[in-house]
Amino acid sequence: MADLQNAGRLVAIYPGSFDPLTNGHLDIISRGSRLTDSLVVAVLSNTQKQPLFSVAERLEMIRETTAQMPNVAVDSFSGLLVDYAATRGANIVLRGIRAISDYETELQMALLNRRLWPETETVFLMAGEEFSFISSRMVKEIFKLGGDVSSFVPAIVAERLRAKFGSAE
Ligand code: ADP
């Protein structure tokens, strides 16, 4: 049983689209990994109909960026988060909060997940203020309009954006 295996340990799932991973996500991952015994960054594979990067590409970029963090694992999942978390024996869902605008949907999700799975807690972390304005959506828009996104994303993500789409015009 996953619960027994992880008895007394803090195992967290950090779910999201990560399309693509940003320095904001990375800051949350690094803060979360310091607070927990084990952190699974979990790419949700069934939401967006037209992602920029495939799930495999997103996993590869996250794996490469977090390679030096020994208690961070990277995985993908589809279906209900609570079902996936149960298979990983997780007792914490980690989410990041940027501005107050994130609060409403995050609250709704946290309360729904609690109803579906009362044993877990959703834990919210705030990224450093230098990352608080960064979102995957803004990174994609800036890149498409020809802007420089290299200070918003890890180096491998900037490289992959250029390799996949050329320099945006
Ligand atoms: P989703 O696609 O579910 O909105 P994302 O992949 O964009 O999720 O993000 C996953 C989680 O990381 C969410 O909780 C989101 O609020 C959080 N997050 C994303 N960017 C930042 C940031 N710059 N600072 C803090 N939290 C962030």
Side-chain angles (χ1 to χ4, degrees):
M1 292 274 296
D3 279 349
L4 292 178
Q5 268 168 26
N6 288 321
R9 298 180 75 238
L10 291 177
V11 178
I13 305 275
Y14 179 32
S17 311
F18 306 105
D19 186 37
L21 180 74
T22 69
N23 289 338
H25 294 131
L26 192 57
D27 189 60
I28 298 290
I29 293 169
S30 116
R31 288 170 196 278
S33 74
R34 291 196 294 269
L35 289 176
T36 56
D37 295 300
S38 166
L39 173 65
V40 183
V41 182
V43 176
L44 180 55
S45 64
N46 60 347
T47 46
Q48 275 181 295
K49 288 189 189 96
Q50 294 204 307
L52 191 61
F53 288 101
S54 70
V55 171
E57 289 170 321
R58 282 179 263 164
L59 290 173
E60 204 186 322
M61 288 184 276
I62 303 170
R63 282 205 179 104
E64 188 163 326
T65 310
T66 59
Q68 305 305 319
M69 302 179 184
N71 65 336
V72 174
V74 183
D75 194 9
S76 63
F77 74 105
S78 56
L80 276 180
L81 173 63
V82 293
D83 292 338
Y84 172 70
T87 68
R88 302 283 319 209
N91 41 22
I92 294 173
V93 174
L94 185 67
R95 296 286 288 177
I97 293 261
R98 280 161 293 205
I100 197 79
S101 50
D102 280 337
Y103 177 79
E104 210 168 325
T105 42
E106 292 293 342
L107 174 73
Q108 190 179 21
M109 250 189 309
L111 293 178
L112 276 171
N113 282 331
R114 179 181 284 169
R115 181 65 72 89
L116 292 170
W117 182 36
E119 296 78 19
T120 195
E121 287 297 339
T122 301
V123 172
F124 296 102
L125 293 180
M126 275 155 281
E129 70 259 26
E130 67 272 42
F131 305 116
S132 62
F133 60 95
I134 303 174
S135 69
S136 299
R137 190 171 60 81
M138 292 309 293
V139 165
K140 286 185 270 200
E141 279 181 22
I142 293 166
F143 182 79
K144 280 181 192 154
L145 295 171
D148 177 11
V149 297
S150 57
S151 61
F152 305 141
V153 295
I156 179 165
V157 175
E159 258 166 50
R160 291 298 170 87
L161 277 165
R162 282 192 297 268
K164 194 173 172 96
F165 304 100
S167 52
E169 61 270 33

